[in-house]
Amino acid sequence: DPLEVDDLSRARSAQGDHLKRIDPAMPKLLAELGRARWPSGHPPVGPIGAHVRLKQEYSSRAAGVETALGGWPGASAFIAASNADERQLLRLIETHAPKLCSVRILVQQREARFKPAPSRHPDVASVLDAVEVDDDQAFNALLNFYSPEALLIGGLTDARQLFKKRVPFVAFDADGMKHYLRGELEASEQTGSHTARGLMRMDSAAVLSGLEQRQAAAEAEAA
């Protein structure tokens, strides 16, 4: 994951540009995609993170939301309407942004926005409650490939309360930890970053502040 190398310096150099927080080469790539003609007649949608905005009232849950939406591989992914579009997109990436050759390309037929299934835990906020998605194809891709119906909880205490209900769930807490109940199996595991990395549209100052605090804590622990 390229952002793991130096999240803080990347966020500083991006100067609030959410595309550059995903990858510095992303703006140039999008410009090239906009100039190309596509076999399906529709340019690819992406990166997905550029179409997702975190609601301000859920800013404290940003790390959990990013983890639920696939971290960097999820945020940097593109959606192609056909296999021919996918092949053309790969050629353009190889030519104009070779460092992005690892990005995921999701081939998905263009359809009207899906209607999510009702939550089995309506009293707990989900990732879908926390974000706004400005593109129907990006929204559908989130439902098809990621975990936007996952719950957002504060931490282990909340997870224990959900475990007691014995109703299956997947949840992410404020530190990006995943908690889930499947059948009789209940588990908690660290699957993402403890700190939001700005992989979607969100307050850039909050992203920078969180990463600075993470680095300061790491330096203090190493001292």
Side-chain angles (χ1 to χ4, degrees), residues 3 7 11 31 33 36 40 82 125 128 133 145 153 156 166 178:
L3 280 180
D7 295 347
L33 301 190
S40 70
S82 69
L128 285 176
V133 184
F145 299 102
I153 60 177
L156 190 55
R166 309 315 298 172
K178 180 181 181 179

Side-chain angles (χ1 to χ4, degrees), residues 32-101:
E32 295 297 335
L33 301 190
R35 285 191 280 268
R37 291 189 177 185
W38 298 91
S40 70
H42 300 281
V45 174
I48 288 178
H51 295 284
V52 180
R53 187 185 74 82
L54 181 68
K55 296 176 183 177
Q56 185 63 36
E57 59 267 34
Y58 289 95
S59 58
S60 64
R61 305 297 174 87
V65 173
E66 287 187 349
T67 302
L69 299 184
W72 188 86
S76 62
F78 282 81
I79 306 154
S82 69
N83 294 114
D85 284 1
E86 177 190 23
R87 291 191 292 271
Q88 179 164 320
L89 176 54
L90 279 170
R91 288 194 295 269
L92 288 171
I93 291 174
E94 289 169 356
T95 301
H96 300 288
K99 290 184 178 179
L100 289 175
C101 283

Side-chain angles (χ1 to χ4, degrees), residues 10-218:
R10 189 179 294 263
R12 284 172 173 163
S13 64
Q15 297 182 337
D17 186 326
H18 65 282
L19 287 174
K20 289 182 179 179
R21 284 202 303 265
I22 296 173
D23 192 275
M26 200 62 78
K28 177 185 177 183
L29 176 60
L30 287 185
E32 295 297 335
L33 301 190
R35 285 191 280 268
R37 291 189 177 185
W38 298 91
S40 70
H42 300 281
V45 174
I48 288 178
H51 295 284
V52 180
R53 187 185 74 82
L54 181 68
K55 296 176 183 177
Q56 185 63 36
E57 59 267 34
Y58 289 95
S59 58
S60 64
R61 305 297 174 87
V65 173
E66 287 187 349
T67 302
L69 299 184
W72 188 86
S76 62
F78 282 81
I79 306 154
S82 69
N83 294 114
D85 284 1
E86 177 190 23
R87 291 191 292 271
Q88 179 164 320
L89 176 54
L90 279 170
R91 288 194 295 269
L92 288 171
I93 291 174
E94 289 169 356
T95 301
H96 300 288
K99 290 184 178 179
L100 289 175
C101 283
S102 64
V103 301
R104 294 181 67 186
I105 301 176
L106 311 173
V107 179
Q108 173 183 277
Q109 182 178 350
R110 292 180 64 85
E111 297 182 79
R113 182 173 292 225
F114 296 158
K115 184 176 181 180
S119 174
R120 301 180 72 177
H121 297 272
D123 54 328
V124 183
S126 71
V127 172
L128 285 176
D129 294 320
V131 300
E132 294 176 348
V133 184
D134 66 12
D135 182 273
D136 290 349
Q137 307 317 307
F139 185 88
N140 292 350
L142 292 181
L143 289 181
N144 280 335
F145 299 102
Y146 302 114
S147 304
E149 292 148 313
L151 307 178
L152 294 174
I153 60 177
L156 190 55
T157 300
D158 292 342
R160 287 171 177 153
Q161 293 301 314
L162 287 169
F163 288 144
K164 290 178 182 178
K165 294 182 178 181
R166 309 315 298 172
V167 178
F169 74 91
V170 176
F172 294 89
D173 67 24
D175 290 325
M177 182 168 281
K178 180 181 181 179
H179 310 269
Y180 59 90
L181 174 65
R182 296 177 187 146
E184 294 302 312
L185 174 64
E186 57 182 62
S188 299
E189 58 189 28
Q190 188 66 48
T191 57
S193 173
H194 288 281
T195 308
R197 299 155 68 185
L199 302 177
M200 54 191 161
R201 292 179 182 269
M202 57 183 291
D203 184 347
S204 57
V207 172
L208 193 56
S209 174
L211 292 173
E212 287 174 340
Q213 290 176 29
R214 186 179 77 176
Q215 177 164 304

